[in-house]
Every structure is written in C-alpha cells, then in structure tokens.
C-alpha cells in the first residue's frame, strides 16, 4: 500500500500538462489544453486537460483522471507502476505501508540491490548483442528465419556463445552474487557456469523497458528448444509478457493485441508488419497476464497451434481469463492449421492473409467456450444437456461482467432447452427479473447522443470537485444512513476537511480510487457533461451551491419521514425510530 499523503505530494509535484504533452501533443484552448483523445478514434479534439484541476477529461468517450490515471491507461501500467514512473521523474522514493519495512536504510538497500540486478541483466544483453556480430553461424540462422537488421535491433537479439563461462569475459570476478541472483549463472555442487550457451538470446523487458530476464533458443535440434530465465527478484514469468514493451506503439495503432506461444513467433510477425504480438514466457497464460493485456487494449486475440497442445493452452487461457472479463473488452481465439505456427503461417501466406484469418476466422470467447464444452457431448440427449449444465456452471460463476454473464447464461438456456428461471435455480442463482420492454426511439441522423441528466446530488459532487473549498458548506446528518450519490458527496466532503492540502480534482479522485465511491465518480463523468474549464468562484455560485445543499437535505429528510411513516403503519416503530421521526418533523416545520 502506498500512503495517500505521498500520492497527494506526488500529484502536487508533477504537472499533468507536461506528462500528457509528452505522449499526446496538446494545444492551448482557452484556459485548458486540447487534443484528439488517445483512447478512442476521433477527428475533432474532445480531450481536455485542465492545469488548474490537474485533471483530464474526454467529452467523447468519458475517459478522465489524474496524471496517475493517464499513465496507467496510456502505458498500460498498474497503479503502483504508474506511481513509480511519476515518482522517478521528480526524484521521489515511493514508500510502502504494508509488506515492506519502513526503515529508510533497508529501502535504500533493496533499491541498490535491484539496481545492481538491472545493471547485470543489461550488461549481459549488451554482451550477447556484441557476440552476435562475431559469430557468422548465429547471423546465418537469423537470416534463414528471414529477420532483417532492423527487427534484430528492435528486439535487441543476441547470441550466447558456446562454452561454460562466456560471461566471465564481462564480469570479474566470476561469478558474483548478482549473476547468480539474476539467474544468469547456475551454481551446481560448488561449480558455476552460464545458464545460456550456444543460443539465440531474446531479452525480456518489463513495462518500463528494463531487461529483467532472457529466453534462449537453440540453433539446432537440441533440447530444450527454448530455455528461459528462472523466477528472480526481477523476473516473474507469470506477470510479464515478451514483446509488450517493444510492441506498445503498434498495439495502440492496431487497437488490438495478439498473444502467441513463442518468442520467434513475435519477432517473425513483427518482421512482416504485425508488431502488436506478445508471448507468454514459457508458461500458460495466467490471470495476471490477462489483467496486463486488458490494460493495453480492448481487443485481445489468442493465436494457438491447432494441435492438442495448442487447444489445451487456449482452454487454459480462457479459464484464467473468466474472472477478469469486462463487458467493454473482447477476447478472441484463432487456431492455425496443425502444420503451422504463426511464424510459418505468416512466412508462407503474408501479412494480409494472416490478419484476414485473425479478424474473420477467430472465434469470440462467447462462441469458443460453447464449441469446446459441447465438442464431445450429444445435445440431442438429456444426458448430454445435463452434462453441459454441470461443466459450464462453475465456469459461468466466475464471470463478473454483468452483460456477458447474462448473455452466456441465456445461450446455455437455449442449448439445453431449460427456462432461464429454472436454469438459474440449477446454477444456484437468483432468477432474472422480467423487464418491461420499453419502446426505443432512434435519434435523427447526425444527432449526437445527449448525456444523461445529472441528479442534484451529482451536480453538487461535480461542483465540489471543481471547488474543494466549498466542502465547508456541507453538513449532512450523521444520525441518518447515507447511500449512493449522497454518501459519496459526504465522503468527499469529509476527505477534503480531513486533508486541507487537497486543492483540485486530481487529489480527490486519487483519494477515491479503489474505494466504495470510485464507481459513483466514474459514472458521473461518463454519463453527464463535465465542465473542464476552471470555475469562476463567486458569491453567486457559492450561494447556488449552498442552496443546492439545503434542497438536497430537505429532500433527504422528506424521504426519511415518508419511509418512517410507512413503517409505522405496517410493522410499527421502535423508540429510537419514533424519536427520529419526531426530530425530522420538527426540522421540517422549521424549514417551512
């Protein structure tokens, strides 16, 4: 956990305009800066950055947030990684309040150790790149695979020469602690030798571009064909993907990411102009991989060999993806002919045919899951249908995406011929409520869809985000249970009052991140207009805000009175509720 006061200090030291301008060129537009949104395709700029609020907001797609949020979305980083990225820019050391000692000396020691390991892996990569130029056999192998010098340079490919201790040419004394801790040298019965020998070397980078490990491929038919770095303090193969750093620009341009099985597949596809592919690191696709993929783009494609091993890997990827699914993300699965892998397929048929197959022959997860589950079942029999319900139930239970979950259960209902209400009982879930179908009206051609009308509470929240000092005008009763937007408003006001250094929207939003009211804020930004221009603070606008609070409180009291009266006429009130009703009626009389 990173302390909130550190986040506040970090946001005070970075300028969101500078941060975003490095990635998306901004132009001055009034008090704010404007650009075409980097998160969706548009022709007219609707992406606004407010220097006063230190906040960005897109009027087209609703994307919004602080400098931390922008780095998370644009670079595909986690919250912690984005904080570290910004902290490095301003020379701040990220503290931790959980899982790590707070001792400054120990933090400095850990940081120095990590830096030493990073320097070691970088020095190894430099050595392997230099060796590639000295060994014609290795160069010839890459040429036979069709790789040109630009691709070799882009992925920093190298060569680990034969021999037990080639790295001794670079590191003296050999070995040292960093070589062993980084997995570059193996210790066995008191003897030490290089892990990688006579292999083409594929450096593996993290999202910052730092080399954290390697994959090595033999030049002949030796086994194992691929050898990977072990898990180390730098490298966790279940949380990193090969080629992600090198493919960032191509992923954004294509609007999709392609997951393949091997390093050479990634490099070969890039050679043919498909630079948006990544590979898992000698392991099946994990849930952490899926989270990482979803931070990069909305469209994820898995491409596997058509053999039994490829289909097993695909199913494992699907299982690990289910809990991470979101309604605004799509996963697809493509199986190549058994005699092909992505490398051989693109080499034989070219980029156009490969991408055509990727787009038009791949199956969406919603189709692939049923094809796989019913492959060996006879749905003409009751036994086959019962087996499908049994095998699909634990899988469907893992899906948290509301719309997709509903549609998949609806599909299961159709496949087995069981009414949705009865099927819900079989699955151990509440039956879906029947909805009255509303008549829909199409907007006239060329008419933009209008945002939903904001409630009074939402308007007050937006005004408070723009003017945190107005929190002093918010006095909500502690003796009444607050819910929804009103609870969010009260929480924001309390946060501001307890943290006087909060001065803008960015600070507030980061305090809400991960909390129960983050979703409320997200919906306010997405469903209603948000004025990104700095507000003109005047007596009149403050008075309107105060009047809005008075009206909001009056409405809340009236609702509470109605609820208590209704309960009184049915089950009766206890002494505390009777006292509360009396107090509310007295306050209502005074307000009138």
């Amino acid at each position: 956990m990173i302390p909130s006061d550190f986040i506040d200090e970090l946001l005070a030291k970075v300028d969101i305009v500078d941060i975003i301008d490095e990635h998306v060129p901004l132009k001055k537009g009034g008090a704010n800066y404007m650009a075409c949104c980097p998160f969706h395709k548009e022709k007219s700029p609707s992406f606004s950055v407010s220097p006063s609020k230190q906040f960005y907001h897109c009027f087209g797609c609703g994307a919004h947030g602080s400098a931390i949020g922008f780095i998370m979305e644009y670079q595909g980083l986690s919250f912690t990684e984005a904080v570290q990225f910004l902290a490095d820019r301003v020379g701040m050391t990220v503290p931790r309040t959980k899982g790590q000692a707070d001792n400054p000396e120990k933090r400095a020691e850990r940081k120095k150790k990590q830096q030493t390991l990073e320097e070691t892996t970088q020095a190894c990569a430099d050595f392997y790149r230099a060796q590639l130029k000295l060994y014609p056999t290795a160069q010839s192998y890459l040429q036979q695979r069709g790789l040109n010098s630009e691709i070799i340079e882009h992925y920093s490919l190298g060569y680990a020469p034969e021999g037990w201790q080639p790295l001794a040419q670079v590191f003296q004394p050999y070995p040292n602690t960093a070589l062993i801790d980084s997995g570059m040298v193996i210790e066995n019965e008191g003897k030490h030798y290089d892990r990688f020998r006579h292999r083409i070397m594929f450096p593996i980078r993290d999202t910052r571009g730092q080399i954290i490990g390697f994959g090595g491929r033999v030049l002949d038919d030796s086994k194992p064909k691929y050898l990977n770095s072990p898990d180390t303090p730098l490298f966790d193969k279940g949380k990193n993907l090969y080629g992600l750093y090198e493919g960032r620009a191509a992923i954004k341009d294509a609007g999709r990411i392609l997951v393949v099985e091997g390093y050479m597949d990634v490099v070969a596809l890039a050679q043919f102009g498909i630079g948006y592919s990544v590979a898992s690191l000698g392991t099946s696709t994990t849930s952490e991989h899926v989270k990482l993929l979803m931070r990069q783009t909305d469209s994820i494609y898995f491409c596997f060999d058509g053999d039994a091993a490829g289909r097993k890997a695909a199913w494992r990827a699907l299982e690990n993806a289910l809990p991470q699914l979101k309604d605004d993300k799509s996963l697809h699965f493509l199986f190549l002919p058994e005699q092909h892998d992505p490398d051989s397929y693109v080499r034989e048929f070219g980029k156009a045919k490969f991408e055509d197959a990727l787009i038009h022959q791949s199956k969406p997860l919603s189709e692939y899951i049923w094809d796989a589950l019913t492959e060996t079942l006879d749905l003409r029999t009751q036994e086959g249908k019962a087996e499908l319900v049994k095998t699909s139930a634990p899988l469907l239970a893992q899906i948290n995406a509301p719309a997709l979950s509903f549609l998949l259960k609806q599909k299961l209902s159709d496949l087995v011929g069981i009414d949705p209400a009865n099927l819900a009982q079989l699955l151990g879930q509440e039956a879906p409520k029947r909805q009255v179908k509303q008549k829909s009206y199409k907007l006239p051609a060329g008419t933009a869809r209008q945002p939903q009308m904001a409630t009074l509470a939402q308007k007050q929240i937006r005004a408070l985000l723009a003017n945190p000092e107005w929190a002093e005008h918010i006095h909500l009763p502690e003796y009444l249970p607050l819910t929804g937007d009103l609870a969010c408003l009260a929480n924001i006001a309390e946060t501001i009052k307890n943290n006087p250094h909060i001065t803008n929207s960015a600070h507030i939003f980061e305090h809400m991140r991960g909390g129960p009211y983050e979703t409320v804020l997200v919906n306010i930004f997405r469903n209603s207009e948000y004025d990104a221009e700095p507000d003109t603070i005047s007596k009149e606008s403050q008075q309107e805000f105060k009047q809005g609070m008075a009206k909001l409180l009056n409405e809340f009291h009236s609702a509470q009175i109605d609820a208590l009266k209704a309960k009184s006429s049915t089950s009766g009130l206890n002494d505390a509720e009777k006292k509360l009703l009396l107090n509310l009626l007295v306050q209502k009389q005074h307000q009138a």
Side-chain angles (χ1 to χ4, degrees), residues 147-381:
L147 302 182
N148 60 31
S149 58
E150 288 79 10
I151 290 296
I152 292 173
E153 182 69 22
H154 183 64
Y155 287 93
S156 301
L157 303 187
Y159 172 67
E162 294 184 276
W164 291 105
Q165 299 179 343
L167 287 176
Q169 300 176 45
V170 180
F171 297 92
Q172 287 297 327
Y174 176 99
N176 60 39
T177 303
L179 280 172
I180 296 173
D181 289 347
S182 63
M184 301 309 299
V185 167
I186 296 175
E187 180 180 7
N188 186 17
E189 297 181 354
K191 297 180 180 180
H192 298 86
Y193 53 91
D194 288 9
R195 180 178 300 274
F196 300 100
R197 304 180 304 279
H198 190 44
R199 291 177 180 271
I200 296 296
M201 298 299 292
F202 298 82
I204 301 165
R205 300 180 186 272
D206 62 15
T207 52
R208 300 172 298 138
Q210 172 62 48
I211 294 174
I212 56 177
F214 293 88
R217 193 200 190 285
V218 295
L219 278 68
D220 50 31
D221 295 328
S222 302
K223 301 296 182 183
K225 186 195 315 188
Y226 283 100
L227 182 65
N228 303 300
S229 289
D231 283 347
T232 71
L234 286 182
F235 179 56
D236 184 340
K237 57 179 171 284
K239 295 182 179 179
N240 292 278
L241 293 163
Y242 176 72
L244 181 58
Y245 178 80
E246 292 85 350
R248 290 180 307 164
I251 292 167
K252 290 190 180 298
D253 289 343
R256 58 179 174 267
I257 191 167
L258 171 63
V259 185
V260 294
E261 295 185 74
Y263 304 111
M264 190 58 76
D265 291 328
V266 172
V267 177
L269 288 168
Q271 175 71 63
F272 281 82
I274 303 174
Y276 50 84
S277 66
V278 299
S280 56
L281 305 169
T283 183
S284 59
T285 304
T286 67
S287 59
E288 292 297 324
H289 286 151
V290 176
K291 289 180 184 178
L292 184 57
L293 290 165
M294 287 185 172
R295 290 204 296 265
Q296 314 307 315
T297 183
D298 293 340
S299 299
I300 302 165
Y301 290 79
F302 292 94
C303 180
F304 296 98
D305 300 348
D307 57 14
R311 294 188 177 277
K312 182 178 180 180
W315 185 252
R316 183 62 177 158
L318 178 143
E319 288 181 317
N320 285 327
L322 291 178
Q324 317 303 332
L325 294 178
K326 299 179 180 179
D327 287 330
D328 58 348
K329 306 288 183 180
S330 64
L331 276 65
H332 297 76
F333 295 81
L334 174 66
F335 295 96
L336 297 176
E338 290 195 21
Q339 69 273 21
H340 280 295
D341 56 24
D343 179 9
S344 64
Y345 192 92
V346 74
R347 201 175 304 281
E348 180 172 341
F349 299 107
K351 174 185 178 182
K353 188 165 184 179
F354 183 94
E355 291 194 309
D356 182 73
L358 186 68
I359 303 303
H360 298 110
Q361 296 180 25
S362 62
K363 295 180 179 180
L365 179 144
S366 57
E367 179 180 342
Y368 169 58
I369 188 172
W370 298 121
D371 287 350
L373 288 173
T374 60
E375 186 176 10
T376 59
L377 299 179
D378 185 356
L379 295 185
R380 294 172 299 179
T381 68

Side-chain angles (χ1 to χ4, degrees), residues 372-545:
L373 288 173
T374 60
E375 186 176 10
T376 59
L377 299 179
D378 185 356
L379 295 185
R380 294 172 299 179
T381 68
Q382 304 305 313
E383 291 80 3
K385 295 176 181 178
E387 180 67 18
L388 180 58
V389 173
K390 178 182 177 181
T391 55
S392 62
L395 298 173
L396 297 178
Q398 298 181 55
I399 301 175
N400 297 313
L404 181 62
S405 176
F406 176 82
L407 292 170
L408 286 174
K409 290 169 186 172
Q410 191 176 55
K411 178 64 175 179
L412 177 60
S413 174
D414 295 339
L415 287 171
V416 298
I418 299 178
D419 180 83
N422 294 328
L423 180 62
Q425 291 182 343
L426 284 175
L427 298 177
Q429 298 161 354
E430 182 181 355
K433 296 178 180 179
R434 186 175 300 277
Q435 301 291 335
V436 178
K437 187 174 182 181
Q438 301 291 331
K439 186 177 181 179
S440 59
Y441 297 91
K442 292 185 178 180
L443 292 172
T447 303
R449 184 173 296 278
Q450 296 299 312
Q452 296 178 9
M453 184 67 69
T455 65
L456 176 58
Q458 290 174 342
K459 292 178 180 178
Q460 295 296 101
I461 290 174
R462 285 159 50 192
L464 183 59
L465 289 172
N467 309 287
E469 63 274 21
W470 290 0
E472 64 179 352
H473 303 310
I474 298 178
H475 305 286
L476 293 171
E478 296 181 359
Y479 54 84
L480 292 176
L482 303 178
T483 59
D485 294 342
L486 201 56
C488 178
L489 178 62
N491 188 270
I492 294 174
E494 182 180 4
T495 299
I496 295 172
K497 292 175 182 178
N498 293 336
N499 299 274
H501 55 276
I502 290 180
T503 59
N504 56 47
S505 305
H507 285 123
I508 298 171
F509 198 85
E510 291 303 334
H511 272 272
M512 297 295 108
R513 184 185 294 279
Y517 304 111
E518 180 182 13
T519 302
V520 177
L521 291 185
V522 169
N523 289 334
I524 289 175
F525 281 105
R526 287 183 175 174
N527 296 333
S528 57
E529 291 288 357
Y530 176 73
D531 179 14
E533 293 290 339
D535 293 76
T536 301
I537 301 176
S538 65
K539 292 182 179 180
E540 289 76 11
S541 56
Q542 285 196 56
Q543 186 61 31
E544 289 176 2
F545 181 79

